[in-house]
Amino acid sequence: NTQEVDLKWHRDRQNRIIEVIHSNGWLFQRDDSVPTLLSSGDILEIAANEWHRIIKGEGEFVVKIVSRNE
């Protein structure tokens, strides 16, 4: 489940690769960038300590998250 804290600006301690499984109007935004629409099959690479957020769309938002220590 997407937690409310995931929808606020935050940074992760580890590098992450996010694979979007299902999205209906959900958006991803990096610091100093415009939000981008997420679609099934999208892959996001997020560096450790990079400010970012998810903007809620409709229904479920399903992703696969892989954390990497690099």
Side-chain angles (χ1 to χ4, degrees):
N1 289 340
T2 304
Q3 302 297 316
E4 194 66 32
V5 69
D6 295 328
L7 302 178
K8 297 179 181 176
W9 285 104
H10 68 280
R11 297 182 292 179
D12 300 312
R13 294 181 183 171
Q14 300 174 320
N15 294 328
R16 294 212 168 156
I17 297 175
I18 312 291
E19 179 183 355
V20 179
I21 308 298
H22 176 76
S23 173
N24 184 14
W26 291 67
L27 302 152
F28 175 77
Q29 185 175 17
R30 297 179 196 272
D31 192 25
D32 292 327
S33 297
V34 297
T36 56
L37 185 63
L38 295 170
S39 300
S40 298
D42 285 352
I43 304 288
L44 303 170
E45 294 188 28
I46 305 168
N49 297 311
E50 178 182 5
W51 284 102
H52 62 281
R53 70 177 176 159
I54 300 294
I55 300 168
K56 190 173 183 176
E58 295 294 321
E60 289 188 323
F61 179 56
V62 181
V63 295
K64 177 181 176 184
I65 300 173
V66 177
S67 295
R68 297 185 352 201
N69 292 325
E70 290 184 1

